Amino acid sequence: MRRSPPKPIRNKLDLTDRTQMRLVRKRLGLSDAELTTIVGRAGNSISAISKEAARHRADVLTKPAGVPPVAVIASAAATEQATTEIAGTPPAS
């Protein structure tokens, strides 16, 4: 008698299934190493993995990436204002 292959549990990630791992990595935008560390931390539940990936992305995005200090921004604005006053054009407000 022919039996169908066992159906995977839909809410768990099978770490031995390369296709499933590739699809989850692609959907969440993670690398192999990132996915492996997240699975080690959060478990193999797909919802837990996606929540942890969202937290990971939020941590990466909140770190400032080369933003100049406030003093540099203020001096640049003052220089721009002085330049427009010398040129005789009204300052933009």
Side-chain angles (χ1 to χ4, degrees), residues 1-20:
M1 179 191 236
R2 298 184 94 193
R3 293 186 181 177
S4 63
K7 303 290 183 206
I9 300 172
R10 293 181 65 131
N11 59 354
K12 300 288 183 190
L13 179 64
D14 183 13
L15 299 175
T16 59
D17 187 4
R18 290 176 49 189
T19 305
Q20 193 177 21

Side-chain angles (χ1 to χ4, degrees), residues 10 20 26 37 40 46 52 55 63 67 72 79 84 93:
R10 293 181 65 131
Q20 193 177 21
K26 189 173 182 179
T37 54
I46 292 179
E52 193 68 27
R55 271 192 220 117
K63 295 178 183 174
V67 176
V72 173
T79 305
T84 55
S93 43

Side-chain angles (χ1 to χ4, degrees), residues 44-65:
N44 65 344
S45 169
I46 292 179
S47 64
I49 292 169
S50 64
K51 287 178 187 176
E52 193 68 27
R55 271 192 220 117
H56 176 70
R57 254 191 312 277
D59 287 344
V60 169
L61 290 177
T62 56
K63 295 178 183 174

